Amino acid sequence: MRYHRIPDESVRRLPLYLRALLFATHDRESISSGALADVVGVNSWQIRKDFSYFGELGTRGVGYNIEKLKKHIRKILKLDVLHKAVLVGAGKLGSAVLLHRGFSVYGFDITAVFDNDPKKIGRKLGDTVIQSVSSLHTLKRRNIDVGIIAVPGDVAQQTVDALVKTGVKGILNFSPSYISVPKKVKVLTIDIAMDLARLPYYMPRNHGAG
Amino acid sequence: MRYHRIPDESVRRLPLYLRALLFATHDRESISSGALADVVGVNSWQIRKDFSYFGELGTRGVGYNIEKLKKHIRKILKLDVLHKAVLVGAGKLGSAVLLHRGFSVYGFDITAVFDNDPKKIGRKLGDTVIQSVSSLHTLKRRNIDVGIIAVPGDVAQQTVDALVKTGVKGILNFSPSYISVPKKVKVLTIDIAMDLARLPYYMPRNHGAG
DNA sequence: CAGTGTGAACAGTTTCACAGCA
DNA sequence: TGCTGTGAAACTGTTCACACTG
C-alpha cells in the first residue's frame, strides 16, 4: 500500500502520537503499536494502519524506533521547519494562549501580539510588546506563517482579512464565528463553548442511553 | 427516514447551527437551509440531511422556523436543562475559561473552582472563591454534571479520578494527556497545541500542494 | 415555484484476519 | 515467537438528483 494519500482522520491523530512520543519517558529505543495504543487511547491496528500510509517504518517482532518515528511524523506534519506565528487579541484567552508554553515543542514561535485596546498597546505580554492592530500590515515580508486570533466574534472577519493580506497561510481561530478565507489559506476553529455544548449529548440523562 | 440514529458528525455540527441561530440578528421568523449555509460554512444539503434526522421540521417553500429549530437542537443536545460545572485548575488557561462568558448561553453554570496551589486557595476568580482540590469530595450530592480540567498533564489522571468519584458524567479536558475514565463518563479533550500542530500540514510549503 | 426531505450512489474510515518477516 | 503491514469487508458519512409540497 506504499505511498497512499494520508486520510484526514489519520492526520488528525498524528499530533496525538507525536505528543505521546515527546512526553513519555522512554527506557526503550522502540515502541510497539500495542504499547503506544495504551498511552494514546487508540487501537493498535488503527495505529499500524496510520503509520503504514507513510511506508514501512517499523521492524516486525520489535516495533517502531522512537526517534525515527518522531522525525517522520514531524516531517509529514511539516513541523520540521520553524513556524512564525502572531497573535491578534490580547484578552484573557489570547493571553492564556500566548503564555501557554507548549507550542515551542512543535516548532512554533509567537513573534508578535496585536490588540485594538489603546490601554493595552505598549504594555508587555510575556516578553512581547502589544502593538496596535492598525500596524498589522508591517508584518509583510517578515515570514509569518500562522495567525492566531482571539478577538470578539463581530470583528473576527475583518481581523482575518487583515491577517490574510500579510500573507499568513494558516489561521487558528478562537473567535466564535465562521470566517471565510481564500482557498489557499487554511483555518482551524476552536470554539470552547461549542465543544462544551456537545458534551451533554453523550452523558446519560438520569439512567438510560446517551 | 424518520427517527434514525443521529450520526456523530451531525452531532458535531449541531452546536454550530445553534450558535448561528443564537447570535445572528434575525429579521425573519424562518431561515432556509441555503441562508443558514452561508452563515455557518456547511452545504445546504448537509444541513437539510442533518435536520432530517430528527423528523420533519421545516416547511417546504419557506424554510425552518428559527425558534422551533433552536428549541429542537437544544433538546437533542440535552441543553434544555441547566448543567452545573466545576473547574479544576485556576492557571492562565483555567482562568480564561472561567471568565469566558459564553457558556451560560448554552445552559452551563460554573459553580466552583479548585486548585492545589496554596497561594491561590481562598482568592477569588471572578465571583468564585478558589478551593483546595482536597475538598473536591464535598461536591458529592451537589448535582454537578460536568468537570472542566485545566491542570498540568502529569496530574490530569488523578484529577479526573477525583472528579469521577464526585459523580460527574462529562469532562472537558484541557490537559495535554490521554485520560481514562469509566465507560459511563464522557471525555472531550481540547489540546490547543495539538490543533495548532495540525495546521501546517494543510498549508502550502512554498508553492505546491498541502 | 422555492425550498424541504430522502433514497441511492459514492466516498472515506475502521475493523478484521492473517500473511510475512526479524 | 511477536509484532508489523495490508487487502478485503464492514461500516459510517457525504453528495446528488429529484419527487414532493406549502
Side-chain angles (χ1 to χ4, degrees), chain B residues 48-105:
Chain B
R48 289 203 301 280
K49 188 67 132 186
D50 285 342
F51 290 171
S52 78
Y53 291 120
F54 32 98
E56 304 201 5
L57 201 58
T59 308
R60 288 159 200 245
V62 180
Y64 300 88
N65 178 283
I66 292 173
E67 282 310 313
K68 195 171 158 189
L69 195 49
K70 281 197 241 181
K71 211 167 165 181
H72 217 104
I73 294 176
R74 266 203 257 252
K75 186 164 179 187
I76 298 278
L77 291 175
K78 296 182 188 163
L79 299 176
D80 53 342
V81 294
L82 187 79
H83 294 278
K84 289 191 182 173
V86 297
L87 170 69
V88 186
K92 289 266 180 280
L93 189 56
S95 306
V97 167
L98 181 77
L99 302 170
H100 183 264
R101 314 243 155 272
F103 293 141
S104 57
V105 78

Side-chain angles (χ1 to χ4, degrees), chain B residues 146-193:
Chain B
V146 170
I148 302 173
I149 76 166
V151 299
D154 55 335
V155 293
Q157 184 64 58
Q158 69 195 61
T159 305
V160 166
D161 293 344
L163 267 174
V164 167
K165 274 191 199 137
T166 71
V168 303
K169 287 174 287 183
I171 290 173
L172 193 61
N173 171 36
F174 288 96
S175 302
S177 49
Y178 169 70
I179 52 181
S180 80
V181 291
K183 280 181 304 298
K184 59 178 179 178
V185 178
K186 174 75 180 178
V187 176
L188 286 178
T189 296
I190 300 179
D191 184 328
I192 293 169

Side-chain angles (χ1 to χ4, degrees), chain A residues 1 32-33 48-49 57-58 60-61 64:
Chain A
M1 190 193 257
S32 69
S33 58
R48 291 203 300 279
K49 187 68 131 186
L57 200 59
R60 288 158 201 247
Y64 300 88

Side-chain angles (χ1 to χ4, degrees), chain A residues 12-83:
Chain A
R12 184 191 301 277
R13 285 185 294 265
L14 292 185
L16 192 65
Y17 303 144
L18 183 57
R19 187 181 73 179
L21 296 170
L22 288 170
F23 292 114
T25 53
H26 304 297
D27 38 354
R28 318 207 106 280
E29 274 193 357
S30 288
I31 189 167
S32 69
S33 58
L36 188 53
D38 291 340
V39 180
V40 299
V42 172
N43 295 318
S44 62
W45 56 82
Q46 180 74 81
I47 292 176
R48 291 203 300 279
K49 187 68 131 186
D50 286 342
F51 291 170
S52 78
Y53 292 120
F54 34 98
E56 303 202 4
L57 200 59
T59 308
R60 288 158 201 247
V62 179
Y64 300 88
N65 178 282
I66 292 172
E67 283 309 313
K68 194 171 158 190
L69 195 49
K70 280 197 240 180
K71 212 168 164 180
H72 216 104
I73 294 176
R74 266 204 258 252
K75 186 165 180 188
I76 299 279
L77 291 175
K78 296 184 187 161
L79 300 176
D80 53 342
V81 293
L82 188 79
H83 293 279

Side-chain angles (χ1 to χ4, degrees), chain B residues 4 13 25-26 42 62 89 102 116 123 125 127 139 141 160-161 170 198 200 203 205:
Chain B
H4 234 260
R13 286 185 293 266
T25 53
H26 304 296
V42 173
V62 180
N116 70 354
R123 298 219 327 234
L125 189 59
D127 306 325
L139 290 180
R141 308 271 160 218
V160 166
D161 293 344
R198 199 153 58 85
M203 302 179 343
R205 210 184 260 272

Side-chain angles (χ1 to χ4, degrees), chain A residues 77 79 108 146-147 169-172 186-188, chain B residues 194-203:
Chain A
L77 291 175
L79 300 176
F108 291 92
V146 170
K169 288 175 288 183
I171 290 173
L172 194 62
K186 175 74 180 180
V187 177
L188 286 178
Chain B
M194 247 176 54
D195 283 321
L196 184 57
R198 199 153 58 85
L199 191 52
Y201 178 83
Y202 296 99
M203 302 179 343

